[in-house]
Amino acid sequence: QGMRSPLEGETPDERFRSALNDLRIQGFPALGLRVSSVRKILRESEESTKLEALLSLDSRVEARVIAKANSPLYGGDMSARSIEDALFRLGDEEVTCLAIEALLQPTLKITNHDLRVEIEERWNRSVRTAHAARRIATAVRMNADEAYLATLSHNVGEFMVIAALDVLRDPRQTAKLDEHIRSEHEALGAELLENWGMPEAWIRLAGSHHGQTAQDVLQAVVQLASSATANKVDHDLDHEKRLRTA
């Protein structure tokens, strides 16, 4: 990934900081470009042309959307073999969201299996929260597309921390994943979004979204969405445990 070799005499924590700094300099430019492109389409395209414009950004997205539409998450007796089938089954808004998620899902080359699983789980959590934020934003009559996209992007600093740990390949540092994410991901996310030219409200959200008092409507919406999805996940896990012990 273009990282320099660790310097002799560096402590494990210093090596982690160095790997993180190298990634900060690189800045995930491809992901930043995709976020900007998706936002431009959502802001400037007519409703009837948004999906077509999103699909045109990457020829692989259509297949990913169809695969997702056929996943157990959506069930159904009829499989989708085309975007038209997916639209018929799921509706325009849901398919548009699937296309956006396929475009923005982190595609980092992570070699460590546990870290790959961690990225997938954290991304899925962001997706669930983004859908909840979209519904809440619609209810309070704020821009639902902006709330959804900002929520998908606000934890991007987590993925940079995970990528740095994968570069190090140090089990001692990987074991401190949660600690590193707690201490680093908000500042990293805010820096990334600022470098990508995202709105100030998005930058504030990325930089401060765990426990602090909301500074604006977007932060309030995302905090509420995060709480709602966390409660639902806890409820589902409790229900699953009860079924297993019944």
Side-chain angles (χ1 to χ4, degrees):
Q1 300 181 24
M3 300 293 177
R4 65 167 179 78
S5 300
L7 296 178
E8 186 177 350
E10 282 187 324
T11 67
D13 283 344
E14 287 171 341
R15 287 198 293 272
F16 168 72
R17 295 282 176 186
S18 296
L20 202 56
N21 191 56
D22 286 342
L23 281 168
R24 286 175 61 245
I25 293 170
Q26 293 180 20
F28 291 178
L31 181 57
L33 180 60
R34 289 204 169 200
V35 173
S36 298
S37 298
V38 169
R39 184 168 183 259
K40 180 179 174 66
I41 288 170
L42 295 181
R43 286 166 59 88
E44 298 180 5
S45 299
E46 298 291 335
E47 285 295 329
S48 60
T49 63
K50 283 181 181 179
L51 179 58
E52 181 181 358
L54 291 167
L55 294 175
S56 72
L57 293 176
D58 188 331
S59 59
R60 298 167 294 182
V61 168
E62 183 170 340
R64 293 173 186 168
V65 169
I66 293 170
K68 192 72 172 181
N70 287 324
S71 68
L73 176 65
Y74 292 100
D77 297 327
M78 182 181 68
S79 63
R81 299 184 179 182
S82 65
I83 285 293
E84 289 73 22
D85 289 345
L87 286 167
F88 179 77
R89 284 187 57 197
L90 307 179
D92 184 73
E93 181 177 310
E94 188 68 24
V95 173
T96 298
C97 287
L98 288 177
I100 293 169
E101 291 153 21
L103 284 163
L104 301 187
Q105 183 171 5
T107 55
L108 305 171
K109 295 180 179 179
I110 303 298
T111 59
N112 181 289
H113 173 266
D114 291 340
L115 292 178
R116 287 201 305 272
V117 171
E118 192 72 32
I119 278 191
E120 183 175 358
E121 290 179 350
R122 289 177 180 274
W123 171 250
N124 288 338
R125 189 182 310 158
S126 289
V127 168
R128 290 193 299 269
T129 305
H131 279 270
R134 186 184 187 91
R135 291 192 296 271
I136 295 168
T138 299
V140 299
R141 298 185 179 181
M142 69 177 290
N143 188 311
D145 284 341
E146 283 282 293
Y148 166 73
L149 195 54
T151 308
L152 278 180
S153 306
H154 82 291
N155 272 327
V156 66
E158 293 184 346
F159 307 126
M160 182 173 282
V161 170
I162 292 171
L165 291 172
D166 189 63
V167 168
L168 288 180
R169 301 182 183 182
D170 183 341
R172 294 167 298 178
Q173 291 298 307
T174 300
K176 296 166 66 176
L177 170 66
D178 289 339
E179 176 185 335
H180 286 314
I181 284 180
R182 278 195 303 271
S183 63
E184 304 287 350
H185 86 278
E186 289 183 313
L188 288 169
E191 181 179 329
L192 277 172
L193 293 182
E194 183 174 12
N195 291 341
W196 295 347
M198 293 298 108
E200 187 63 33
W202 291 32
I203 297 168
R204 283 197 302 271
L205 174 63
S208 178
H209 56 266
H210 285 290
Q212 300 90 341
T213 301
Q215 301 175 53
D216 54 37
V217 177
L218 177 61
Q219 282 189 344
V221 165
V222 174
Q223 286 179 2
L224 182 58
S226 181
S227 177
T229 52
N231 289 338
K232 184 179 186 306
V233 169
D234 289 343
H235 176 272
D236 290 346
L237 289 174
D238 288 342
H239 181 63
E240 183 179 341
K241 288 177 182 177
R242 286 196 296 271
L243 289 176
R244 287 177 177 175
T245 57

